[in-house]
Amino acid sequence: MTKISASMLASDYCRFGEEAVKMEQAGVDYLHMDVMDGTFVPNISFGAGVISAVHKASSAKLDVHLMVNDPVRYLEDFKAAGADILTVHAECTPHLQRVVKAIKDAGMKAGVALNPATPLETVKWVMDDVDLILIMTVNPGFGGQKLIPATIEKTREAAEMIKASGRDILLEVDGGVSPSTCAALREAGANLLVAGSALYGAKDIPAMIVTLKGE
Ligand code: DX5
Ligand code: ZN
């Protein structure tokens, strides 16, 4: 079954708590928190302090997407802030397996994100350890971008890799998820869809969740 993670990057930053509760009550499975450092990606968003505040305001599970260099410096901060899933970019560290293991040792689910141009092969040798693979369907840094078509085939190949591993690994897609792209992503094998602008821009959020899930 498809799950939905609402990206708070598209929310009203003056009202993070209310925006989180709104998505939780509408029925999303996770809140997706995009942490950007202005170095790995051109944009700066928010950090563990904001995530901790959202965690106090809402009981939704937190799916934290770190777009920061050298992420191992912050793992304990995000655990303390309430992260359930912590996803790091493969491009951010030369020691991916060590970082994945450190996330799990800290008591969180470990995800690995791949930029559109990063080969799937990058995660091949950490398949025994990861809980989630995040296929970026846009270049990270900003909400509201158009999905890059080639990432749909990449998602399909990732689904095949996961199947071959025999492990229960979530396949998340992030960027440009909308009513016009969600069916192809689900059909390719994605089972966790991140949606920012599609959800926060929707008049009827529960109806948009149903559309994105394809129910
Ligand atoms: C982009 C972020 C996404 C972003 C998605 O770097 O990782 O999570 O919020 O936004 P939409 O759904 O608007 O493309
Ligand atoms: Zn994200």
Side-chain angles (χ1 to χ4, degrees), residues 7-11 13 32 34 36 41-45 65 67 136 138-147 174-177 194-198 200:
S7 174
M8 295 207 64
L9 196 67
S11 69
Y13 289 10
H32 183 87
D34 286 304
M36 304 180 180
V41 288
N43 200 5
I44 296 176
S45 59
H65 177 193
M67 284 157 275
M136 285 308 303
V138 298
N139 287 299
F142 303 95
Q145 302 181 75
K146 266 187 81 171
L147 179 138
D174 184 10
V177 173
V194 177
S197 41
Y200 279 98

Side-chain angles (χ1 to χ4, degrees), residues 148-168:
I148 297 167
T151 61
I152 292 176
E153 188 53 31
K154 188 177 183 184
T155 302
R156 192 183 312 283
E157 287 188 19
E160 282 162 14
M161 269 178 74
I162 290 171
K163 198 168 172 208
S165 79
R167 294 195 60 240
D168 189 15

Side-chain angles (χ1 to χ4, degrees), residues 89-91 96 112-127 133-136 154-155 157-158 161:
H89 270 261
E91 305 87 358
L96 188 58
V112 173
L114 301 177
N115 284 338
T118 302
L120 271 179
E121 173 83 3
T122 310
V123 288
K124 184 173 173 188
W125 303 108
V126 291
M127 292 295 279
I133 294 172
L134 169 51
I135 302 295
M136 285 308 303
K154 188 177 183 184
T155 302
E157 287 188 19
M161 269 178 74

